[in-house]
Amino acid sequence: MAHDDRRAIVRAYDRIAGEYLDRFGAPPPGTGDQEFITRSLALMGAGPVLDVGCGPGLLARQATEAGCRAIGADLTPAMLAQALKHAPEARFVTADARALPLRNAACTGVVACYVAHHFPRPQAGPAFAEMRRVLLPGGRLVLTAHLGDGDQWHGDEPDQVRITLYRRPELARLVRQAGFDIELFRWRNLAADEFQAEHGFLRARAS
């Protein structure tokens, strides 16, 4: 591709890794976001639970606190350095969601929080199929995602990052085609100071 999305993503997140948790880590109170994650982690047993696009390790830490073994995967070295500080009991690997360094059926759960918007449309199906590959049958996939339509560009060259927004039916179709049965799919409008898009919350079971 003419624009190297992965390198731009790494550069963009490297710059904000140290402040990411303070700026974006805590879900807005009163939205039910944290309750959704907590209930979903409780369904994943002892793990391993894979946090795809783990950033500074917030979800990996929550998984270990819930009694799960946790693995975090991220492209960005500075984010992984933060994750090691915030979730020392988890394991972390440098990896792309579209090529996970795990064997088939290695995990009881996969969590991907606000990662799907970094998948250009031709790559979204393969990314969800890769998440299905590493899950045991019956394992849970948990997605939180920005919903919408079309692509947006954020930042300045050479570090512009493409954001791809998926409509509700489109995201549900991609997840089903990857081999999942959707158990829950809800959405809400944005809260103050959030990214300007509807927020979606999806939990599905590997068929």
Side-chain angles (χ1 to χ4, degrees), residues 1 42 45 48 73 82 94 96 107 123 125 143 148 162 166 168 171 178 180 187 194-195 203:
M1 64 183 75
Q82 292 292 318
T94 303
D96 190 300
C107 300
Q123 299 175 24
L143 298 176
R162 172 168 50 189
Y166 293 90
R168 298 172 195 167
L171 185 64
F180 292 96
W187 44 87
E194 287 189 306
F195 182 78
R203 187 171 63 236

Side-chain angles (χ1 to χ4, degrees), residues 49-68:
V49 172
L50 175 64
D51 182 6
V52 175
C54 68
L58 177 62
L59 265 296
R61 185 176 69 196
Q62 291 180 359
T64 60
E65 289 173 349
C68 304

